[in-house]
Amino acid sequence: MEVLELARWQFGITTVYHFLMVPLTIGLSILVAGMQTAWVRTGNERYLKMTKFWGKLLLVNFAMGVVTGIVQEFQFGMNWSAYSRFVGDVFGAPLAMEGLVAFFVESTFLGLWIFGWDRLPKRVHLACAWAFSLATVASAYFILAANSWMQHPVGVEFVDGRPTMNSIWAVLTNNTALAAIPHTIAGTFSVAAAFLVGIAGWRLARRRGEDEHREVWRSSLRLGAWVGVVAFAGLVISGDAQGKLMFEQQPMKMAAAEALCHTEQPASFSVLAVGDVADAQCEDVKTFTVPALLSFLAHNDFTTEVKGIEDLVGEYQAAYGTNYPDDPALGELAGQPIDYVPNLPVTYWGFRIMIGFGALSAGIGVLALWLTRRGRIPGSKWFPRMVLGGIATPFIANSAGWIFTEMGRQPFVVVPNPTGVDGVWMFTAQAVSRVSAGEVWTSLIALTTIYAALGVVEVFLLRKYVRGGIEGVMPPKKPQGDDDADQGSGDDALAFAY
Amino acid sequence: MDLPTIWFCVIAAFWLGYLFLEGFDFGVGMLMPVLGRDNTERRVMINTIGPVWDGNEVWLIVAAGATFAAFPAWYASLFSAAYLPLLLVLLALIGRGVAFEYRGKVDTDHWRRTWDVVIVLGSWIPPLGVGLLLATTVLGLPLDVDGNRVGSAFEAFRWDTLLGAAAVVGFSLVHGATFLALKTSGDLRARARTLALRLLPFALLPLFAFVALVQWRHGSLWTAGLVAVAMLAGPVAWLRLRADRDGQAFAALGVVIAAAAVVLFGALYPNVLPSTLDAANSLTVANASSSPYTLTVMTWVAAFGAPAVLIYQGWTYWVFRKRISTQHIPKVHVPR
C-alpha cells in the first residue's frame, strides 16, 4: 500500500508547511490592522511606521501562505478521492463557504490595501485592512469546522452508505470546532507576538540609543510581549477545554497523548518519560508524573478514571472489527489486523513539545516585558539572542500541536463519534485515491522541492527587510495623507507598484 | 430547475468567471517577454493586474470548492484521474503567485530575470493545464464503475484534450493583449494593440475548433446557436480593436469566452464527467450530486455570497480603473 504511505507523507508535509505561514499571517494581519487604526486615530507617525514595516513583512509571508493553500484545496480530490466521495456531502460545504465568504474577501481587499495607499480615503483604506485580516479569521473558522468534523462528526445521518448532512448549524457549532478555534487563533497570536518581540528586540539591542526609530521598536516589542502573554492565557484555557472534549470524544487520543497503557483511577499526568514510550511493556518506561493531574485535566475531578490503551483497543476491536475488510481497494492491508494505537512516540512527545514550547514562548514574552520596563533597553548580548530564538518557539508549538491532533486520530480519517450515528467513520486506509505510486511520488517530490526552495527565499527576504528597518519600507517622499482620493495630475508615480 | 442542475450552472459560472478573469492575467504574463522591452515596461504590465490577480485566482479555488460541496463524486474522480495536469497547474500557480510579490523586493537584474522566468512559465502552464482539465471534463475519461481511472497516468493527454488546452492558451494570449491595450497608455499600448490585431485571427482558431468539436460530438440545437455567437464575436472584437475601441473589443472577447463556456457545459449536461469506457459509468448531475439539504444550504450561501463578490470585485476594478504607463512606475525602493 505504497500510495497510502506517500499520500499521508504528502498531506503531512504540505499541511505542516502551510501552517508555518498561516498563523503568522492571521496574527500579524490583525496586529497590523490595529497599528493602522492607531495611526488613523492619533495621527502619530510612529504607528504609520509600524504599519509599514510589519505590513511589508506580512506581505512577504502572505504570498507564501496563499500559494501553499491553493494545493490544499485540490489535494483532497487528488490523493484522497475515496474520502472525498464518502464525506463530500458534509465536508465540502465548509470548504466552499470558506472560498465564497473568506478567500474572496481576503484576496480582493488585500489587493486594495497594498495598492490603495494613495487611491483610497484613509478610512476606507483602513477598512480594507480590517476586511482582509478578519477574513483570515473567518477562513480559519470554516476550515477548522471542516477538520473538527473529521475528529467528531455531527449533524449527519447515514444514508445509502454515506454520511448525509442534516444540520449545517450542528456542523458549524460542533463543540470540537468551538474549542479548536480559540485555541488556534490564540496560537496565531502567539506566533505574531514572538515575531514582533524577536525582531523589535533584536533591532533595539543592536543599535542601542542611536536608532532614530527606537520608539517604533519599543512599541512593537511591548505590544508583542503583551499579546504573547494574553495569547498564552487563551491557549491554556482553550487547551484545557479541548482536553476535556478529547477525553469524551477521542479517548484513544487522550491515552496516546500520555502513553497511558493501563486504565488508571485516579490517573497521573506524565511530565516526561525516559525510554521508549511505544514499548509494549509499559512498566519499562520511567515517567515523571504528577499524581491525579490527568484525571483533573480530563474531567475537572481528581478521582476520574482515565482509560488506558489496552482497554481501548479491546473496545475498538469489538465495535469496528479486528481486521480490515477483505476489500481489494485496501491493497496489502485487506484482511490484515487493524492497529488502533496511534504512533505513541509522536503523540506523546508532540503533546509535550506543544505545551513546553508554548510556555517557553510566553516566558520569553514576560522576560522581555520585565527587561524593557520603564523605558529600559537591555544591554546584555543574550537578550537579542533570546528574543530571536524565541521567534521559533510558537512555530514549533503550533506544528507539534497539529501533528499530535492529526496523528492522534489514526487509524481513522473520520473518527467515530461515541454519541453519533452508526456508520459515520472511515479508516485512513480506505480513504486514499486509486492512483499510481508514481503519480504521488512525482507530486510529493515536486511540492517538497518547490516548498523548500521558496522557504529559503522567504526567510532571505524577511531578513533583508528586517535589516533594512524603517528606511527600507518608507520611500523618501512620503505619500499624501489627504482624505481625498485621486488628486494630482494623473502623471504622478503610484504610491506602490510591484 | 432542480437543485443539482442549478449547481451545475453555478459551477459553470465559476469556471467562466475564472477563464474570463485569469485569461487576461495569464495573457499579460505570457506576453511579458514579447511586449515588455525594458524593466519599467515589464513593471507596467505586471501592475495592470497587480491589485486584482489574487482575487481573480480565487475563482478557480471556489470552482473546486463548489464542486466538492455540490458534486463530491465529480470532484474526487476528475482530480484523481487527471492528476498530472492538475499537479502542473498547481506548481505553476505556486511559482507565479510568489513571483509577483517577490520580483520587486530585491534590486538586481539577476533577481528580476529569475522571477520573470517564473512568471512566464507560471502564465503559460496554467492555461494549458486548465484547458486540458476542462476538455477532459467535457470529453470524458476512462472511468470504471467506481469512478476511478482505468489506464495510465497520461489518460488525460489526448489530441482532443490538447486542442482544448490550445484553445485556452490562444484565448488567454488575445485576451491579455487586448487587456493591455485597454489598461496602458503610450508606446506600450500601441504595441499591445498591434499585437492583439495580428494575433486575434489565429489565436482564437483553436478555441473555435474545440467548440466545434464539442458541438459535433455532444452538441444540441441551442448550443449550436451559441457556437455561432462565439464565432461571430471574434471578428467583432477584431473590428472594434481596429476602430480603437479597446473596451468594446475586450467586452466582445468576453462574449467569445462566455458563449464557448456555455457550449462546453451545455454539451456536457446532464453528465458532469463522462466515462469513455461505458456510458453507464458516467458521472451525471443526478448521480454525482450532494443531498438536497446540502445543496439548499449552499444555494443560500451562494445567493448572498456571489453577488457580494461581484460587487466588491467590480469596485476594485473601478478604483484601479486608470490606464498606467511608464511614468507612473515609482523608482525601486528596497532596503540597501
Side-chain angles (χ1 to χ4, degrees), chain A residues 85-367:
Chain A
R85 282 187 196 102
F86 183 68
V87 302
D89 196 78
V90 49
F91 191 82
L95 248 65
M97 289 181 192
E98 182 189 24
L100 258 169
V101 178
F103 289 163
F104 268 126
V105 175
E106 216 171 289
S107 57
T108 309
F109 287 90
L110 182 70
L112 281 158
W113 188 73
I114 299 175
F115 288 85
W117 281 93
D118 65 339
R119 297 282 179 100
L120 294 169
K122 237 187 206 175
R123 279 165 199 283
V124 177
H125 186 247
L126 175 63
C128 292
W130 280 109
F132 79 72
S133 52
L134 293 179
T136 63
V137 178
S139 84
Y141 168 70
F142 285 115
I143 199 65
L144 287 171
N147 177 274
S148 298
W149 188 85
M150 298 164 73
Q151 316 273 354
H152 179 239
V154 291
V156 285
E157 53 202 339
F158 198 64
V159 182
D160 294 336
R162 290 207 180 110
T164 305
M165 186 157 70
N166 61 15
S167 167
I168 184 73
W169 180 247
V171 173
L172 293 179
T173 59
N174 190 346
N175 52 16
T176 315
L178 295 183
I181 287 147
H183 198 64
T184 310
I185 297 298
T188 69
F189 275 112
S190 109
V191 165
F195 194 70
L196 257 65
V197 170
I199 290 168
W202 178 77
R203 291 223 48 127
L204 264 186
R206 182 164 159 266
R207 296 170 67 184
R208 286 189 78 209
E210 44 185 299
D211 192 334
E212 56 170 316
H213 303 300
R214 209 176 60 186
E215 282 309 305
V216 173
W217 307 123
R218 254 193 73 81
S219 297
S220 301
L221 181 138
R222 305 277 303 176
L223 171 68
W226 278 114
V227 168
V229 171
V230 174
F232 185 68
L235 282 168
V236 171
I237 296 166
S238 57
D240 180 58
Q242 276 189 302
K244 289 179 172 46
L245 285 177
M246 189 163 75
F247 167 72
E248 288 168 15
Q249 298 169 353
Q250 294 174 283
M252 181 59 99
K253 195 191 276 185
M254 182 78 161
E258 290 296 310
L260 182 72
C261 294
H262 308 294
T263 302
E264 289 184 18
Q265 183 182 17
S268 50
F269 180 86
S270 161
V271 182
L272 286 174
V274 179
D276 182 7
V277 292
D279 197 316
Q281 301 297 319
C282 294
E283 288 74 14
D284 294 350
V285 184
K286 294 184 178 58
T287 83
F288 303 94
T289 57
V290 180
L293 180 60
L294 184 61
S295 293
F296 183 76
L297 291 179
H299 210 231
N300 265 352
D301 170 9
F302 286 103
T303 57
T304 313
E305 176 189 86
V306 178
K307 284 210 174 112
I309 291 164
E310 281 177 0
D311 289 343
L312 288 168
V313 166
E315 288 181 17
Y316 277 109
Q317 283 177 340
Y320 309 107
T322 54
N323 294 68
Y324 281 112
D326 218 354
D327 179 352
L330 289 172
E332 287 171 11
L333 283 176
Q336 294 295 307
I338 304 167
D339 183 4
Y340 284 106
V341 185
N343 185 323
L344 287 181
V346 171
T347 52
Y348 182 85
W349 290 111
F351 195 59
R352 269 140 205 84
I353 289 170
M354 170 184 79
I355 295 172
F357 278 85
L360 186 60
S361 164
I364 292 172
V366 172
L367 205 54

Side-chain angles (χ1 to χ4, degrees), chain A residues 273-469:
Chain A
V274 179
D276 182 7
V277 292
D279 197 316
Q281 301 297 319
C282 294
E283 288 74 14
D284 294 350
V285 184
K286 294 184 178 58
T287 83
F288 303 94
T289 57
V290 180
L293 180 60
L294 184 61
S295 293
F296 183 76
L297 291 179
H299 210 231
N300 265 352
D301 170 9
F302 286 103
T303 57
T304 313
E305 176 189 86
V306 178
K307 284 210 174 112
I309 291 164
E310 281 177 0
D311 289 343
L312 288 168
V313 166
E315 288 181 17
Y316 277 109
Q317 283 177 340
Y320 309 107
T322 54
N323 294 68
Y324 281 112
D326 218 354
D327 179 352
L330 289 172
E332 287 171 11
L333 283 176
Q336 294 295 307
I338 304 167
D339 183 4
Y340 284 106
V341 185
N343 185 323
L344 287 181
V346 171
T347 52
Y348 182 85
W349 290 111
F351 195 59
R352 269 140 205 84
I353 289 170
M354 170 184 79
I355 295 172
F357 278 85
L360 186 60
S361 164
I364 292 172
V366 172
L367 205 54
L369 276 178
W370 171 253
L371 291 173
T372 58
R373 68 194 185 280
R374 293 195 210 135
R376 278 167 226 230
I377 295 177
S380 158
K381 64 178 181 179
W382 287 104
F383 179 74
R385 292 179 193 174
M386 174 187 80
V387 290
L388 276 184
I391 294 178
T393 52
F395 284 101
I396 295 170
N398 271 326
S399 300
W402 270 111
I403 290 169
F404 162 66
T405 303
E406 295 303 294
M407 290 192 61
R409 67 171 154 74
Q410 297 303 333
F412 294 102
V413 65
V414 178
V415 183
N417 179 349
T419 56
V421 189
D422 281 347
V424 184
W425 49 273
M426 190 183 211
F427 290 121
T428 310
Q430 299 170 310
V432 75
S433 293
R434 302 288 300 276
V435 292
S436 66
E439 284 166 285
V440 193
W441 267 119
T442 309
S443 62
L444 177 59
I445 292 171
L447 287 169
T448 311
T449 314
I450 290 198
Y451 279 8
L454 291 179
V456 172
V457 177
E458 180 184 344
V459 172
F460 163 77
L461 281 177
L462 288 176
R463 270 178 56 118
K464 183 180 165 70
Y465 274 87
V466 168
R467 285 173 185 277

Side-chain angles (χ1 to χ4, degrees), chain A residues 20-26 28 55-68 195 395 458 462, chain B residues 101-102:
Chain A
L20 293 177
M21 324 300 162
V22 167
L24 185 57
T25 295
I26 296 177
L28 197 55
K56 189 64 90 176
L57 300 185
L58 169 67
L59 294 182
V60 169
N61 181 64
F62 209 113
M64 286 291 287
V66 168
V67 297
T68 53
F195 194 70
F395 284 101
E458 180 184 344
L462 288 176
Chain B
E101 193 60 47
Y102 286 3

Side-chain angles (χ1 to χ4, degrees), chain B residues 8-25:
Chain B
F8 181 80
C9 298
V10 170
I11 288 165
F14 280 123
W15 277 108
L16 166 60
Y18 181 68
L19 290 171
F20 178 76
L21 293 170
E22 279 253 285
F24 61 76
D25 288 356

Side-chain angles (χ1 to χ4, degrees), chain A residues 468-491:
Chain A
I470 304 298
E471 293 84 359
V473 294
M474 306 268 278
K477 192 172 150 258
K478 271 173 246 145
Q480 297 279 291
D482 292 354
D483 270 316
D484 299 313
D486 251 351
Q487 73 284 53
S489 64
D491 281 349

